[in-house]
Amino acid sequence: MGFLSDALSRIKPSATIVITQKARDLKAQGRDVISLSVGEPDFDTPDNIKEAAIAAIRRGETKYTPVSGIVPLREAISRKFKRENGLDYKPSQTIVSTGGKHVIYNALLATLNPGDEVIIPAPYWVSYPEMVVLCGGKPVFVDCTMEHSFKLQPEPLERAITPKTKWIILNSPSNPTGAAYSRAEMKAITDVLMRHPHVWVLTDDMYEHLTYGDFEFVTPAQVEPNLYERTLTMNGVSKAYAMTGWRIGYAGGPQHLINAMDFVQGQQTSGTSAISQWAAVEALDGPQDHLPRFRKAFEERRDLVVSMLNQSKYLKCPMPEGAFYVYPSCAEAIGKTAPSGKVLATDEDFVSELLEAEGVAAVHGSSFGLGPNFRISYATSNAALEDACNRIQRFCGSLR
Ligand SMILES: Cc1ncc(COP(=O)(O)O)c(C=O)c1O
């Protein structure tokens, strides 16, 4: 009998973390590497939020908190849902966990039985299928092609639903594509879900505040209020408030689901850091004036990257509505030979030869469930992005 659990053999390491580590190792060896693989803003946490955390420490807010979070934060979350999404969640209908990732994990752990199916539109955030598998469920993928701007279409969704479907996970704006659903596109999806009352909706709204131009963000229970009773609306402060390291995610949902998640969390972490929770109260209730600044910087970078990638031989890069990722196709580069002599058979070969030849770290699309593409995170300086895109153009130009 082996020491490690069988569950461990069913999951894969995160490709994003693997590639980011490889880039770090190459840098440590003295190579000039630009890493476009990490999914976190390069901005610092706004000062008012840091000050709120320091004040909390000074007040002695350094003890265990209620499992689902401190009351002031759950009240702030309740206000946020009302103010920004038109959703009524009482503070008792909210839960705070150790990052958005932990919210999703708790929801799946609290609800999945062996064989339960979870529909995951592909390309997907790398952690969804692995979390489903760890919780004993079965991921069911629905391809969302570039032709449809990487967005789920109603007919394939309808075909994927079975009597065993427990959840669908929606993520708009999306990691890895940046694609975000308009109200009409979301309505087309919620119309299908209305015909299948046994399917629950887990919406990952982590990138809500990072949309560009005049795009209007919407969330499923807002577009279709009749879904409220079977929707978990998940969000967090990691991306929009540059707080990835503080580890705060939250959700609003039906009381019985939140109670079940609280039950699970009580035997896992006992709740997240008290200090981070006080910082999150300030993030949600305090001034939001950093947001237009973040959005403007990201929008400029998106435009720069999309334009430079589309000038590159063999690449096609759609213009995404949000997040800080682009997801170009490298289909035309497949079958070509890299400077090392290697023939590029997959998108994984493409990114690994790109890293080898030009020191640019990106993540292959097949790890997000749809390729041949690759993901670039543009949460880095304009100068680094311009340099990286020039190197990508040079690499593509060198393929024979
Ligand atoms: C779509 C999506 N959901 C959730 C998360 C996790 O957020 P957190 O860092 O708050 O756990 C990420 C982080 O990369 C993400 O991209």
Coordinates of all heavy atoms in Angstrom, one line a residue, residues 39-40 98-104 125 128 131 171 173-176 204-207 234-239 243-245 247-249 324-325 375, ligand 1:
G39 N -0.5 35.2 -12.6 CA -1.8 35.8 -12.6 C -2.0 36.7 -11.5 O -3.0 36.6 -10.7
E40 N -1.1 37.7 -11.3 CA -1.4 38.7 -10.3 C -1.0 40.1 -10.7 O 0.0 40.3 -11.5 CB -0.7 38.3 -8.9 CG 0.8 38.4 -8.9 CD 1.3 38.0 -7.6 OE1 0.6 37.9 -6.6 OE2 2.5 37.8 -7.5
T98 N -10.2 31.6 2.6 CA -8.7 31.9 2.3 C -8.5 32.0 0.8 O -7.9 31.2 0.2 CB -7.9 30.8 3.0 OG1 -8.3 30.6 4.3 CG2 -6.4 31.2 3.0
G99 N -9.0 33.1 0.2 CA -8.9 33.3 -1.2 C -10.1 32.8 -1.9 O -10.8 31.9 -1.4
G100 N -10.3 33.3 -3.1 CA -11.4 32.8 -3.9 C -11.3 31.3 -4.2 O -12.3 30.6 -4.2
K101 N -10.1 30.8 -4.3 CA -9.9 29.4 -4.5 C -10.5 28.5 -3.4 O -11.1 27.5 -3.7 CB -8.3 29.2 -4.6 CG -7.9 27.8 -5.1 CD -6.4 27.7 -5.1 CE -5.9 27.4 -6.5 NZ -4.5 27.4 -6.7
H102 N -10.3 29.0 -2.2 CA -10.8 28.2 -1.1 C -12.3 28.3 -1.0 O -13.0 27.3 -0.6 CB -10.2 28.7 0.2 CG -10.4 27.9 1.4 ND1 -10.7 28.4 2.6 CD2 -10.4 26.5 1.5 CE1 -10.9 27.4 3.5 NE2 -10.7 26.2 2.8
V103 N -12.9 29.4 -1.5 CA -14.4 29.4 -1.5 C -14.9 28.3 -2.4 O -15.9 27.6 -2.1 CB -14.9 30.8 -2.1 CG1 -16.4 30.8 -2.3 CG2 -14.5 31.9 -1.2
I104 N -14.3 28.2 -3.6 CA -14.8 27.2 -4.6 C -14.6 25.8 -4.0 O -15.4 24.9 -4.1 CB -14.0 27.3 -5.9 CG1 -14.2 28.8 -6.5 CG2 -14.5 26.3 -6.9 CD1 -13.3 29.0 -7.7
W125 N -9.9 28.0 -15.9 CA -8.9 28.3 -15.0 C -8.4 26.9 -14.5 O -9.2 26.0 -14.2 CB -9.4 29.1 -13.8 CG -8.4 29.4 -12.7 CD1 -7.1 29.7 -12.9 CD2 -8.6 29.3 -11.3 NE1 -6.5 29.9 -11.7 CE2 -7.3 29.6 -10.7 CE3 -9.7 29.0 -10.5 CZ2 -7.2 29.7 -9.3 CZ3 -9.5 29.0 -9.1 CH2 -8.3 29.4 -8.6
Y128 N -10.0 24.5 -11.6 CA -11.4 24.0 -11.5 C -11.4 22.5 -11.6 O -12.0 21.8 -10.7 CB -12.3 24.6 -12.6 CG -12.6 26.1 -12.5 CD1 -12.7 26.8 -13.7 CD2 -12.7 26.8 -11.3 CE1 -12.9 28.2 -13.7 CE2 -12.9 28.1 -11.3 CZ -13.0 28.8 -12.5 OH -13.3 30.2 -12.5
M131 N -9.9 20.7 -8.6 CA -10.7 20.8 -7.4 C -11.9 19.8 -7.4 O -12.2 19.2 -6.4 CB -11.1 22.2 -7.1 CG -10.0 23.1 -6.7 SD -10.5 24.7 -6.0 CE -10.7 25.7 -7.4
N171 N -17.1 31.7 -15.4 CA -16.1 32.6 -15.0 C -16.0 33.7 -16.1 O -15.5 33.5 -17.2 CB -14.8 31.8 -14.9 CG -13.5 32.7 -14.7 OD1 -12.5 32.4 -15.3 ND2 -13.6 33.7 -13.9
P173 N -15.1 38.1 -16.3 CA -14.1 37.8 -17.3 C -13.3 36.6 -16.9 O -13.2 36.3 -15.8 CB -13.2 39.1 -17.3 CG -14.1 40.2 -16.7 CD -15.0 39.5 -15.7
S174 N -12.8 36.0 -18.0 CA -12.2 34.6 -17.8 C -10.7 34.7 -17.7 O -10.0 35.4 -18.3 CB -12.6 33.8 -19.0 OG -11.5 32.9 -19.4
N175 N -10.2 33.8 -16.8 CA -8.8 33.4 -16.8 C -8.9 32.0 -17.5 O -9.6 31.1 -16.9 CB -8.3 33.2 -15.4 CG -6.9 32.7 -15.4 OD1 -6.3 32.5 -16.4 ND2 -6.4 32.5 -14.1
P176 N -8.4 31.7 -18.7 CA -7.2 32.4 -19.3 C -7.5 33.3 -20.5 O -6.5 33.8 -21.0 CB -6.4 31.2 -19.8 CG -7.5 30.3 -20.3 CD -8.7 30.4 -19.3
D204 N -17.7 32.5 -10.8 CA -16.4 33.0 -10.3 C -16.3 34.4 -10.9 O -15.9 34.6 -12.1 CB -15.3 32.1 -10.7 CG -13.9 32.6 -10.4 OD1 -13.8 33.8 -10.0 OD2 -13.0 31.8 -10.4
D205 N -16.6 35.5 -10.1 CA -16.6 36.8 -10.6 C -15.3 37.6 -10.2 O -15.3 38.8 -10.0 CB -17.8 37.6 -10.0 CG -19.1 37.0 -10.5 OD1 -19.1 36.1 -11.4 OD2 -20.2 37.4 -10.0
M206 N -14.2 36.8 -10.0 CA -13.0 37.4 -9.5 C -12.5 38.6 -10.3 O -11.9 39.5 -9.7 CB -12.0 36.3 -9.5 CG -10.7 36.5 -8.8 SD -11.0 37.0 -7.1 CE -10.9 35.5 -6.3
Y207 N -12.8 38.7 -11.6 CA -12.2 39.8 -12.4 C -13.3 40.8 -12.7 O -13.1 41.6 -13.7 CB -11.6 39.2 -13.7 CG -10.4 38.3 -13.5 CD1 -10.5 37.0 -13.3 CD2 -9.1 38.9 -13.4 CE1 -9.4 36.2 -13.0 CE2 -8.0 38.1 -13.1 CZ -8.2 36.7 -13.0 OH -7.1 36.0 -12.7
M234 N -19.4 34.0 -6.3 CA -18.1 34.1 -5.7 C -17.3 35.3 -6.2 O -17.4 35.6 -7.4 CB -17.3 32.8 -6.0 CG -16.0 32.7 -5.4 SD -14.8 33.6 -6.3 CE -13.8 32.3 -6.9
N235 N -16.6 35.9 -5.3 CA -15.8 37.1 -5.7 C -14.6 37.1 -4.7 O -14.4 36.3 -3.9 CB -16.6 38.3 -5.6 CG -16.2 39.4 -6.7 OD1 -15.0 39.6 -6.8 ND2 -17.2 39.9 -7.3
G236 N -13.8 38.2 -4.8 CA -12.7 38.3 -3.9 C -11.9 39.6 -4.1 O -12.3 40.4 -5.0
V237 N -11.0 39.9 -3.3 CA -10.2 41.2 -3.4 C -8.9 41.0 -4.0 O -8.2 42.0 -4.2 CB -10.1 41.8 -2.0 CG1 -11.4 42.2 -1.4 CG2 -9.3 40.9 -1.0
S238 N -8.5 39.7 -4.4 CA -7.2 39.5 -4.9 C -6.7 40.3 -6.1 O -5.7 40.9 -6.1 CB -7.0 38.0 -5.2 OG -7.2 37.2 -4.1
K239 N -7.6 40.4 -7.1 CA -7.2 41.0 -8.3 C -7.5 42.5 -8.4 O -6.6 43.3 -8.7 CB -7.9 40.3 -9.5 CG -7.9 38.7 -9.4 CD -6.5 38.1 -9.7 CE -6.5 36.6 -9.5 NZ -5.4 35.9 -10.0
M243 N -4.5 42.3 -3.9 CA -4.3 41.8 -2.6 C -4.2 40.2 -2.6 O -4.7 39.5 -1.8 CB -5.6 42.1 -1.8 CG -5.7 43.6 -1.4 SD -7.2 44.0 -0.5 CE -6.9 43.2 1.1
T244 N -3.4 39.7 -3.7 CA -3.3 38.3 -3.8 C -2.7 37.6 -2.6 O -3.2 36.5 -2.2 CB -2.4 37.9 -5.0 OG1 -1.3 38.8 -5.0 CG2 -3.1 38.2 -6.3
G245 N -1.8 38.3 -1.9 CA -1.1 37.7 -0.8 C -1.9 37.7 0.5 O -1.5 37.1 1.5
R247 N -5.0 36.8 0.9 CA -5.9 35.5 0.9 C -7.3 35.8 1.5 O -7.6 35.2 2.5 CB -5.1 34.4 1.7 CG -3.7 34.1 1.3 CD -3.5 33.9 -0.2 NE -4.3 32.9 -0.8 CZ -5.0 33.0 -1.9 NH1 -5.0 34.2 -2.5 NH2 -5.6 32.0 -2.4
I248 N -8.0 36.6 0.7 CA -9.4 36.8 1.1 C -10.3 36.6 -0.2 O -10.1 37.3 -1.2 CB -9.7 38.2 1.6 CG1 -8.9 38.5 2.9 CG2 -11.2 38.5 1.7 CD1 -9.6 38.0 4.2
G249 N -11.2 35.6 -0.1 CA -12.2 35.5 -1.1 C -13.5 35.4 -0.4 O -13.6 35.2 0.8
F324 N -6.6 40.2 -17.1 CA -5.4 40.8 -17.7 C -4.6 39.7 -18.4 O -3.4 39.5 -18.3 CB -4.5 41.4 -16.6 CG -4.5 40.7 -15.2 CD1 -3.9 39.5 -15.1 CD2 -5.1 41.4 -14.1 CE1 -3.9 38.9 -13.8 CE2 -5.1 40.8 -12.9 CZ -4.5 39.5 -12.7
Y325 N -5.4 39.0 -19.3 CA -4.8 37.9 -20.1 C -5.2 38.0 -21.5 O -6.3 38.5 -21.8 CB -5.4 36.5 -19.6 CG -5.2 36.3 -18.1 CD1 -6.3 36.4 -17.3 CD2 -4.0 36.0 -17.6 CE1 -6.2 36.2 -15.9 CE2 -3.8 35.7 -16.2 CZ -4.9 35.8 -15.4 OH -4.8 35.6 -14.0
R375 N -1.3 31.5 -23.2 CA -1.8 32.6 -22.4 C -0.7 33.5 -22.0 O 0.4 33.0 -21.5 CB -2.5 32.0 -21.1 CG -3.2 33.2 -20.3 CD -3.5 32.7 -18.9 NE -2.4 32.8 -18.0 CZ -2.4 32.6 -16.7 NH1 -3.6 32.4 -16.1 NH2 -1.3 32.6 -15.9
Ligands
LIG1 C1 -10.6 32.8 -12.3 C2 -9.9 32.8 -11.0 N1 -10.6 32.4 -9.9 C3 -10.1 32.4 -8.7 C4 -8.7 32.7 -8.5 C5 -8.1 32.6 -7.1 O1 -8.1 33.7 -6.4 P1 -7.5 33.8 -5.0 O2 -6.1 34.2 -5.2 O3 -8.3 34.8 -4.3 O4 -7.6 32.5 -4.4 C6 -7.9 33.1 -9.6 C7 -6.5 33.3 -9.4 O5 -5.7 33.2 -10.3 C8 -8.5 33.1 -10.9 O6 -7.8 33.4 -11.9

